[in-house]
Coordinates of all heavy atoms in Angstrom, one line a residue:
M1020 N 57.2 -188.2 77.9 CA 56.7 -187.8 79.3 C 55.2 -188.1 79.4 O 54.8 -188.6 80.4 CB 57.1 -186.4 79.5 CG 56.7 -185.8 80.8 SD 57.4 -184.1 81.0 CE 56.8 -183.7 82.6
R1021 N 54.5 -187.7 78.3 CA 53.0 -187.9 78.4 C 52.7 -189.4 78.4 O 51.8 -189.8 79.2 CB 52.4 -187.3 77.1 CG 52.3 -185.8 77.2 CD 51.5 -185.2 76.1 NE 51.6 -183.8 76.2 CZ 51.7 -182.9 75.2 NH1 51.9 -183.4 74.0 NH2 51.7 -181.6 75.4
A1022 N 53.4 -190.2 77.7 CA 53.1 -191.7 77.7 C 53.4 -192.3 79.1 O 52.6 -193.0 79.6 CB 54.0 -192.4 76.7
K1023 N 54.5 -191.9 79.7 CA 54.8 -192.4 81.1 C 53.7 -191.9 82.1 O 53.2 -192.6 82.9 CB 56.2 -192.0 81.6 CG 57.2 -192.8 81.0 CD 58.5 -192.6 81.8 CE 59.5 -193.8 81.5 NZ 60.6 -193.8 82.4
N1024 N 53.3 -190.6 81.9 CA 52.3 -190.0 82.8 C 51.0 -190.8 82.7 O 50.4 -191.1 83.7 CB 52.1 -188.6 82.5 CG 51.2 -187.9 83.6 OD1 51.5 -188.0 84.8 ND2 50.1 -187.3 83.1
N1025 N 50.7 -191.2 81.5 CA 49.5 -191.9 81.2 C 49.5 -193.3 82.0 O 48.5 -193.7 82.6 CB 49.3 -192.2 79.7 CG 47.9 -192.8 79.4 OD1 46.9 -192.2 79.6 ND2 48.0 -194.1 79.0
D1026 N 50.7 -193.9 81.9 CA 50.8 -195.2 82.6 C 50.7 -195.1 84.1 O 50.1 -196.0 84.8 CB 52.2 -195.8 82.3 CG 52.2 -196.4 80.9 OD1 51.2 -196.5 80.2 OD2 53.3 -196.7 80.4
Y1027 N 51.1 -194.0 84.7 CA 51.1 -193.8 86.2 C 49.8 -193.2 86.7 O 49.5 -193.3 87.9 CB 52.3 -192.9 86.6 CG 53.6 -193.6 86.6 CD1 54.5 -193.4 85.6 CD2 53.9 -194.5 87.6 CE1 55.7 -194.1 85.6 CE2 55.1 -195.2 87.6 CZ 56.0 -195.0 86.6 OH 57.2 -195.6 86.6
T1028 N 49.0 -192.6 85.8 CA 47.8 -191.9 86.3 C 46.5 -192.5 85.7 O 45.5 -191.9 85.8 CB 47.9 -190.4 86.0 OG1 47.9 -190.2 84.5 CG2 49.1 -189.7 86.6
A1029 N 46.6 -193.6 85.0 CA 45.5 -194.2 84.3 C 44.8 -193.3 83.4 O 43.6 -193.3 83.2 CB 44.5 -194.8 85.4
G1030 N 45.6 -192.5 82.7 CA 45.1 -191.6 81.7 C 44.5 -190.3 82.2 O 43.8 -189.6 81.4
S1031 N 44.7 -190.0 83.5 CA 44.1 -188.8 84.0 C 44.7 -187.5 83.3 O 45.8 -187.5 82.9 CB 44.5 -188.6 85.5 OG 44.2 -187.4 86.0
A1032 N 43.9 -186.5 83.1 CA 44.3 -185.3 82.5 C 45.2 -184.5 83.4 O 45.8 -183.5 83.0 CB 43.1 -184.5 82.0
D1033 N 45.2 -184.8 84.7 CA 46.0 -184.1 85.7 C 47.4 -184.7 85.7 O 47.7 -185.8 86.1 CB 45.4 -184.3 87.0 CG 46.2 -183.6 88.2 OD1 47.2 -182.9 87.8 OD2 45.8 -183.8 89.3
P1034 N 48.4 -183.9 85.2 CA 49.8 -184.4 85.1 C 50.4 -184.6 86.5 O 51.4 -185.3 86.6 CB 50.5 -183.3 84.3 CG 49.7 -182.1 84.5 CD 48.3 -182.5 84.7
F1035 N 49.8 -184.1 87.5 CA 50.3 -184.2 88.9 C 49.6 -185.3 89.7 O 49.9 -185.4 90.9 CB 50.3 -182.9 89.6 CG 50.9 -181.8 88.8 CD1 50.2 -180.8 88.2 CD2 52.3 -181.7 88.8 CE1 50.8 -179.8 87.5 CE2 52.9 -180.7 88.1 CZ 52.2 -179.7 87.4
A1036 N 48.7 -186.0 89.1 CA 47.9 -186.9 89.9 C 48.7 -188.0 90.6 O 48.4 -188.3 91.8 CB 46.9 -187.6 88.9
N1037 N 49.7 -188.5 90.0 CA 50.6 -189.5 90.6 C 51.3 -188.9 91.8 O 51.4 -189.6 92.8 CB 51.6 -190.0 89.6 CG 52.4 -191.2 90.1 OD1 51.8 -192.0 90.7 ND2 53.7 -191.2 89.8
F1038 N 51.7 -187.7 91.8 CA 52.4 -187.1 92.9 C 51.4 -186.6 94.0 O 51.8 -186.7 95.2 CB 53.3 -185.9 92.4 CG 54.2 -186.4 91.3 CD1 53.9 -186.1 90.0 CD2 55.2 -187.3 91.5 CE1 54.7 -186.5 88.9 CE2 56.0 -187.8 90.5 CZ 55.8 -187.4 89.2
R1039 N 50.3 -186.2 93.6 CA 49.3 -185.8 94.6 C 48.8 -187.0 95.4 O 48.4 -186.9 96.6 CB 48.1 -185.2 93.9 CG 48.3 -183.8 93.5 CD 47.0 -183.1 93.1 NE 47.3 -181.7 92.8 CZ 47.3 -181.2 91.5 NH1 46.9 -182.0 90.5 NH2 47.6 -180.0 91.3
A1040 N 48.9 -188.2 94.8 CA 48.5 -189.4 95.5 C 49.3 -189.6 96.8 O 48.9 -190.2 97.8 CB 48.6 -190.6 94.6
S1041 N 50.6 -189.2 96.8 CA 51.5 -189.3 97.9 C 51.0 -188.6 99.1 O 51.3 -188.9 100.3 CB 52.9 -188.9 97.6 OG 53.0 -187.5 97.4
E1042 N 50.1 -187.5 98.9 CA 49.6 -186.7 99.9 C 48.7 -187.6 100.9 O 48.5 -187.2 102.0 CB 48.9 -185.5 99.4 CG 49.9 -184.6 98.7 CD 49.3 -183.4 97.9 OE1 48.0 -183.3 97.9 OE2 50.1 -182.6 97.4
A1043 N 48.1 -188.6 100.3 CA 47.3 -189.5 101.2 C 48.1 -190.2 102.3 O 47.6 -190.6 103.3 CB 46.7 -190.6 100.3
L1044 N 49.5 -190.2 102.1 CA 50.4 -190.8 103.1 C 51.1 -189.7 103.8 O 52.0 -190.0 104.6 CB 51.4 -191.7 102.4 CG 50.9 -192.9 101.6 CD1 52.0 -193.6 100.8 CD2 50.2 -193.8 102.6
G1045 N 50.7 -188.5 103.7 CA 51.3 -187.3 104.4 C 52.5 -186.8 103.8 O 53.3 -186.1 104.4
V1046 N 52.8 -187.2 102.5 CA 54.0 -186.8 101.8 C 53.6 -185.7 100.8 O 52.9 -186.0 99.9 CB 54.7 -188.0 101.1 CG1 56.0 -187.5 100.4 CG2 55.1 -189.0 102.1
P1047 N 54.1 -184.5 100.9 CA 53.8 -183.5 100.0 C 54.2 -183.9 98.5 O 55.2 -184.5 98.4 CB 54.6 -182.2 100.4 CG 54.9 -182.5 101.9 CD 55.0 -184.0 102.0
G1048 N 53.4 -183.5 97.6 CA 53.6 -183.9 96.2 C 55.0 -183.5 95.7 O 55.7 -184.4 95.1
V1049 N 55.5 -182.3 96.0 CA 56.9 -182.0 95.5 C 57.9 -182.8 96.2 O 58.9 -183.2 95.5 CB 57.1 -180.4 95.7 CG1 57.3 -180.1 97.1 CG2 58.3 -180.0 94.9
L1050 N 57.7 -183.2 97.4 CA 58.7 -184.1 98.1 C 58.7 -185.5 97.4 O 59.7 -186.1 97.2 CB 58.4 -184.2 99.6 CG 59.4 -185.1 100.4 CD1 60.8 -184.6 100.2 CD2 58.9 -185.1 101.8
S1051 N 57.5 -185.9 97.0 CA 57.4 -187.2 96.3 C 58.2 -187.1 95.0 O 58.9 -188.1 94.6 CB 55.9 -187.4 96.0 OG 55.7 -188.6 95.2
I1052 N 58.1 -186.0 94.3 CA 58.9 -185.8 93.0 C 60.4 -185.9 93.3 O 61.1 -186.6 92.7 CB 58.5 -184.5 92.3 CG1 57.1 -184.6 91.8 CG2 59.5 -184.3 91.2 CD1 56.5 -183.3 91.3
L1053 N 60.8 -185.2 94.4 CA 62.2 -185.2 94.7 C 62.7 -186.6 95.1 O 63.9 -187.0 94.8 CB 62.5 -184.2 95.9 CG 62.2 -182.7 95.5 CD1 62.4 -181.9 96.8 CD2 63.2 -182.3 94.4
I1054 N 61.9 -187.4 95.8 CA 62.3 -188.7 96.2 C 62.5 -189.6 94.9 O 63.4 -190.3 94.8 CB 61.2 -189.4 97.1 CG1 61.3 -188.7 98.5 CG2 61.4 -190.9 97.2 CD1 60.1 -189.0 99.4
R1055 N 61.6 -189.4 93.9 CA 61.7 -190.2 92.7 C 62.9 -189.8 91.9 O 63.6 -190.6 91.3 CB 60.4 -190.0 91.9 CG 59.2 -190.8 92.5 CD 58.0 -190.5 91.7 NE 56.9 -191.4 92.1 CZ 56.0 -191.0 93.0 NH1 56.0 -189.8 93.5 NH2 55.0 -191.8 93.3
M1056 N 63.2 -188.5 92.0 CA 64.5 -188.0 91.3 C 65.7 -188.6 92.0 O 66.6 -189.0 91.3 CB 64.6 -186.5 91.4 CG 63.6 -185.7 90.5 SD 63.6 -183.9 90.7 CE 65.1 -183.5 89.9
M1057 N 65.7 -188.7 93.3 CA 66.8 -189.3 94.0 C 66.9 -190.8 93.6 O 68.1 -191.3 93.5 CB 66.6 -189.2 95.5 CG 67.8 -189.7 96.3 SD 69.4 -189.0 96.0 CE 69.1 -187.4 96.7
D1058 N 65.8 -191.5 93.4 CA 65.9 -192.9 93.0 C 66.6 -193.0 91.7 O 67.5 -193.8 91.5 CB 64.5 -193.5 92.8 CG 63.8 -193.7 94.1 OD1 64.4 -193.8 95.2 OD2 62.5 -193.9 94.1
K1059 N 66.3 -192.1 90.7 CA 67.0 -192.1 89.4 C 68.4 -191.7 89.6 O 69.3 -192.3 88.9 CB 66.3 -191.1 88.5 CG 64.8 -191.5 88.2 CD 64.7 -192.9 87.5 CE 63.3 -193.2 87.3 NZ 63.2 -194.5 86.5
M1060 N 68.8 -190.8 90.4 CA 70.2 -190.4 90.6 C 71.0 -191.5 91.2 O 72.1 -191.8 90.9 CB 70.3 -189.1 91.5 CG 69.8 -187.9 90.8 SD 70.1 -186.4 91.7 CE 68.5 -186.2 92.4
Q1061 N 70.3 -192.3 92.1 CA 71.0 -193.5 92.7 C 71.3 -194.5 91.6 O 72.3 -195.2 91.6 CB 70.1 -194.1 93.8 CG 70.1 -193.3 95.1 CD 71.5 -193.2 95.7 OE1 72.2 -192.2 95.5 NE2 71.9 -194.2 96.4
R1062 N 70.3 -194.6 90.6 CA 70.5 -195.6 89.5 C 71.8 -195.1 88.7 O 72.6 -195.9 88.3 CB 69.3 -195.6 88.7 CG 69.3 -196.6 87.6 CD 67.9 -196.7 87.0 NE 67.9 -197.5 85.8 CZ 68.0 -198.8 85.9 NH1 68.2 -199.5 87.0 NH2 68.0 -199.5 84.7
V1063 N 71.9 -193.8 88.4 CA 73.0 -193.3 87.7 C 74.3 -193.5 88.5 O 75.3 -193.9 87.9 CB 72.8 -191.8 87.3 CG1 74.1 -191.2 86.7 CG2 71.6 -191.6 86.4
R1064 N 74.2 -193.3 89.8 CA 75.4 -193.5 90.6 C 75.9 -195.0 90.6 O 77.0 -195.3 90.4 CB 75.0 -193.1 92.1 CG 76.2 -193.3 93.0 CD 75.8 -192.9 94.4 NE 76.7 -193.5 95.4 CZ 76.3 -194.3 96.3 NH1 75.0 -194.6 96.5 NH2 77.2 -194.8 97.2
S1065 N 74.9 -195.9 90.6 CA 75.2 -197.3 90.5 C 75.9 -197.6 89.2 O 76.9 -198.3 89.1 CB 74.0 -198.2 90.6 OG 73.5 -198.1 91.9
F1066 N 75.4 -197.0 88.1 CA 76.1 -197.2 86.8 C 77.5 -196.7 86.8 O 78.4 -197.4 86.3 CB 75.3 -196.5 85.7 CG 75.9 -196.6 84.4 CD1 75.8 -197.8 83.6 CD2 76.6 -195.6 83.8 CE1 76.5 -197.9 82.4 CE2 77.2 -195.7 82.6 CZ 77.2 -196.8 81.9
V1067 N 77.7 -195.5 87.4 CA 79.0 -194.9 87.4 C 80.0 -195.8 88.2 O 81.1 -196.1 87.8 CB 79.0 -193.5 88.0 CG1 80.4 -193.0 88.3 CG2 78.3 -192.6 87.0
E1068 N 79.5 -196.3 89.4 CA 80.4 -197.1 90.2 C 80.6 -198.5 89.7 O 81.7 -199.0 89.9 CB 79.8 -197.2 91.6 CG 79.8 -195.8 92.4 CD 79.2 -195.9 93.7 OE1 78.7 -196.9 94.2 OE2 79.2 -194.8 94.4
L1069 N 79.6 -199.1 89.1 CA 79.7 -200.5 88.7 C 80.0 -200.7 87.2 O 80.4 -201.8 86.8 CB 78.4 -201.3 89.0 CG 78.0 -201.3 90.5 CD1 76.7 -201.9 90.7 CD2 79.1 -201.9 91.4
G1070 N 79.7 -199.7 86.4 CA 80.0 -199.7 85.0 C 78.9 -200.4 84.2 O 79.0 -200.5 82.9
A1071 N 77.8 -200.9 84.8 CA 76.7 -201.6 84.1 C 75.5 -201.6 85.1 O 75.7 -201.5 86.3 CB 77.1 -203.0 83.7
L1072 N 74.4 -201.8 84.5 CA 73.1 -202.0 85.2 C 72.6 -203.4 85.0 O 72.7 -203.9 83.9 CB 72.1 -200.9 84.8 CG 72.5 -199.5 85.1 CD1 71.5 -198.5 84.5 CD2 72.6 -199.2 86.6
K1073 N 71.9 -203.9 86.0 CA 71.3 -205.3 85.8 C 70.1 -205.3 84.9 O 69.9 -206.2 84.2 CB 71.0 -205.9 87.2 CG 72.2 -206.1 88.1 CD 72.8 -207.4 87.8 CE 73.9 -207.6 88.8 NZ 74.7 -208.8 88.6
V1074 N 69.3 -204.2 85.1 CA 68.0 -204.1 84.3 C 68.4 -203.4 83.0 O 68.7 -202.2 83.0 CB 66.9 -203.3 85.1 CG1 65.7 -203.1 84.2 CG2 66.6 -204.0 86.4
K1075 N 68.4 -204.2 81.9 CA 68.8 -203.6 80.6 C 67.8 -202.9 79.9 O 68.0 -202.1 79.0 CB 69.3 -204.8 79.8 CG 70.5 -205.6 80.4 CD 71.7 -204.8 80.6 CE 72.8 -205.6 81.2 NZ 73.9 -204.8 81.8
S1076 N 66.5 -203.0 80.3 CA 65.4 -202.4 79.6 C 65.3 -200.9 79.9 O 64.6 -200.2 79.2 CB 64.1 -203.1 79.9 OG 63.8 -203.0 81.3
E1077 N 66.0 -200.4 80.9 CA 66.0 -199.0 81.2 C 67.5 -198.5 81.3 O 68.2 -198.9 82.2 CB 65.3 -198.7 82.5 CG 65.3 -197.2 82.8 CD 64.5 -196.9 84.1 OE1 63.6 -197.6 84.5 OE2 64.8 -195.8 84.6
S1078 N 67.8 -197.7 80.3 CA 69.2 -197.3 80.2 C 69.5 -196.1 81.1 O 68.6 -195.5 81.7 CB 69.5 -196.8 78.8 OG 68.8 -195.7 78.5
V1079 N 70.8 -195.7 81.2 CA 71.2 -194.6 82.0 C 70.6 -193.3 81.3 O 70.2 -192.4 82.0 CB 72.7 -194.5 82.1 CG1 73.2 -193.2 82.7 CG2 73.3 -195.6 82.9
D1080 N 70.5 -193.3 80.0 CA 69.9 -192.2 79.3 C 68.5 -192.0 79.7 O 68.0 -190.9 79.9 CB 70.0 -192.4 77.8 CG 71.4 -192.1 77.3 OD1 72.3 -191.5 78.0 OD2 71.7 -192.6 76.1
D1081 N 67.8 -193.2 79.9 CA 66.4 -193.1 80.4 C 66.3 -192.5 81.7 O 65.4 -191.7 82.0 CB 65.8 -194.5 80.4 CG 65.5 -195.1 79.0 OD1 65.4 -194.3 78.0 OD2 65.5 -196.4 78.9
A1082 N 67.2 -192.8 82.6 CA 67.2 -192.3 84.0 C 67.4 -190.8 83.9 O 66.8 -190.0 84.6 CB 68.3 -192.9 84.8
F1083 N 68.4 -190.3 83.1 CA 68.6 -188.9 82.9 C 67.3 -188.2 82.4 O 67.0 -187.1 82.9 CB 69.8 -188.6 82.0 CG 71.1 -188.7 82.7 CD1 72.0 -189.6 82.2 CD2 71.4 -188.0 83.9 CE1 73.3 -189.7 82.9 CE2 72.6 -188.1 84.5 CZ 73.6 -189.0 84.0
L1084 N 66.7 -188.7 81.4 CA 65.4 -188.2 80.9 C 64.3 -188.1 82.0 O 63.6 -187.1 82.1 CB 64.9 -188.9 79.7 CG 65.7 -188.7 78.4 CD1 65.2 -189.7 77.3 CD2 65.6 -187.3 77.9
D1085 N 64.3 -189.1 82.8 CA 63.3 -189.1 83.9 C 63.6 -188.0 84.9 O 62.7 -187.4 85.4 CB 63.3 -190.5 84.6 CG 62.6 -191.6 83.8 OD1 61.9 -191.3 82.8 OD2 62.9 -192.8 84.1
I1086 N 64.9 -187.8 85.2 CA 65.3 -186.7 86.1 C 64.8 -185.4 85.5 O 64.3 -184.5 86.2 CB 66.8 -186.8 86.4 CG1 67.1 -188.0 87.2 CG2 67.2 -185.5 87.1 CD1 68.6 -188.3 87.3
V1087 N 65.1 -185.2 84.2 CA 64.6 -183.9 83.6 C 63.1 -183.8 83.7 O 62.6 -182.7 84.0 CB 65.1 -183.9 82.1 CG1 64.5 -182.8 81.3 CG2 66.6 -183.8 82.1
N1088 N 62.4 -184.8 83.4 CA 60.9 -184.8 83.4 C 60.4 -184.5 84.8 O 59.5 -183.7 85.0 CB 60.3 -186.0 82.8 CG 60.5 -186.1 81.3 OD1 60.6 -185.1 80.6 ND2 60.5 -187.3 80.8
Y1089 N 61.0 -185.1 85.8 CA 60.6 -184.9 87.2 C 60.9 -183.4 87.6 O 60.1 -182.8 88.2 CB 61.4 -185.8 88.2 CG 60.9 -187.2 88.2 CD1 61.8 -188.3 88.2 CD2 59.5 -187.5 88.2 CE1 61.3 -189.6 88.3 CE2 59.1 -188.8 88.2 CZ 60.0 -189.8 88.2 OH 59.5 -191.1 88.3
A1090 N 62.0 -182.9 87.1 CA 62.3 -181.5 87.4 C 61.3 -180.5 86.8 O 60.9 -179.5 87.4 CB 63.7 -181.1 86.9
I1091 N 60.9 -180.8 85.6 CA 59.8 -180.0 84.9 C 58.5 -180.1 85.7 O 57.9 -179.1 85.9 CB 59.6 -180.5 83.4 CG1 60.8 -180.1 82.6 CG2 58.3 -179.9 82.9 CD1 60.9 -180.8 81.3
L1092 N 58.2 -181.3 86.1 CA 57.0 -181.4 87.0 C 57.1 -180.7 88.3 O 56.1 -180.1 88.7 CB 56.7 -182.9 87.2 CG 56.1 -183.7 86.0 CD1 56.2 -185.2 86.2 CD2 54.7 -183.2 85.7
A1093 N 58.2 -180.8 88.9 CA 58.4 -180.0 90.2 C 58.3 -178.5 90.0 O 57.7 -177.8 90.8 CB 59.8 -180.4 90.8
Q1094 N 58.8 -178.1 88.9 CA 58.7 -176.6 88.6 C 57.3 -176.2 88.4 O 56.8 -175.1 88.8 CB 59.5 -176.3 87.3 CG 59.5 -174.8 87.0 CD 60.3 -174.5 85.8 OE1 60.3 -175.2 84.8 NE2 60.9 -173.3 85.8
G1095 N 56.5 -177.1 87.8 CA 55.0 -176.9 87.6 C 54.3 -176.8 88.9 O 53.3 -176.1 89.1

């Protein structure tokens, strides 16, 4: 989770920096997190419906871990 956060926030010490950035577009940070969670859920749904994913570098397990991490951030 820390490594991914580093990639999205350019190493900022603020774990919410990526989500606060959405506020510049009028999207509340927590809503931004929920949208990203939905993206991951859609990826899992695609896997369930199709039985495979085209992008092999990110597994369904990765999508589930991302959902968990987003939920932790939303709780924060």
Side-chain angles (χ1 to χ4, degrees):
M1020 184 175 178
R1021 286 187 182 137
K1023 278 196 165 190
N1024 188 57
N1025 186 68
D1026 287 348
Y1027 284 102
T1028 64
S1031 171
D1033 178 6
F1035 305 104
N1037 189 38
F1038 306 107
R1039 285 194 177 109
S1041 68
E1042 293 171 0
L1044 299 172
V1046 178
V1049 72
L1050 182 56
S1051 173
I1052 293 171
L1053 294 174
I1054 291 168
R1055 288 177 173 97
M1056 288 175 76
M1057 182 59 72
D1058 289 341
K1059 297 300 179 172
M1060 287 186 266
Q1061 287 296 100
R1062 186 168 173 73
V1063 171
R1064 180 176 161 242
S1065 290
F1066 176 78
V1067 169
E1068 290 180 1
L1069 302 174
L1072 295 171
K1073 296 275 184 183
V1074 176
K1075 303 298 181 193
S1076 63
E1077 184 176 334
S1078 69
V1079 172
D1080 287 342
D1081 291 335
F1083 281 122
L1084 286 174
D1085 288 342
I1086 291 167
V1087 168
N1088 287 333
Y1089 286 138
I1091 291 167
L1092 287 167
Q1094 185 180 31

